[in-house]
Amino acid sequence: MQIDKLRGKELDQLFQAVLSLKDLEECYQFFDDLCTVNEVQSLAQRLEVARMLQSGSTYHKIEVETGASTATISRVKRCLNYGNDSYQMTLDRVHSENHS
């Protein structure tokens, strides 16, 4: 599993910090301090690409609507097909929270 290659004290600390955030405003503040605008936008773009792929959008439509490269779209698709199902898990949770 690729996750094991990532594991370590510094990433544990980062993930614990993310898990400690209490609301959307704290997330905005933390990621504003932690990342550049482009880094945060890239992460958000990947999640949107995953959502669009799951809903059956074409590569062309995803490129036009998100500005993502075909390489990014392919990487996200590979994660959707062969990854840890984390995109599916988080998108399902966000969808259910937005519709409750």
Side-chain angles (χ1 to χ4, degrees), residues 51-63:
R51 187 197 65 75
M52 291 181 76
L53 283 168
Q54 286 182 325
S55 71
S57 296
T58 64
Y59 271 43
H60 178 72
K61 181 176 182 178
I62 295 169
E63 277 183 282

Side-chain angles (χ1 to χ4, degrees), residues 41-74:
Q41 287 174 336
S42 290
L43 295 171
Q45 181 188 65
R46 287 182 184 184
L47 190 59
E48 178 60 8
V49 166
R51 187 197 65 75
M52 291 181 76
L53 283 168
Q54 286 182 325
S55 71
S57 296
T58 64
Y59 271 43
H60 178 72
K61 181 176 182 178
I62 295 169
E63 277 183 282
V64 169
E65 291 189 17
T66 68
S69 68
T70 55
T72 295
I73 298 167
S74 294

Side-chain angles (χ1 to χ4, degrees), residues 2-45:
Q2 275 189 336
I3 291 175
D4 292 332
K5 294 178 190 175
L6 291 175
R7 290 196 191 276
K9 183 178 136 195
E10 290 171 347
L11 269 179
D12 285 354
Q13 178 179 263
L14 172 63
F15 295 151
Q16 287 297 328
V18 170
L19 290 170
S20 77
L21 300 171
K22 293 181 176 70
D23 57 27
L24 200 57
E25 188 58 34
E26 285 190 3
C27 286
Y28 272 102
Q29 292 169 358
F30 180 69
F31 281 93
D32 183 48
D33 286 346
L34 182 67
C35 302
T36 66
V37 171
N38 287 341
E39 289 168 336
V40 173
Q41 287 174 336
S42 290
L43 295 171
Q45 181 188 65

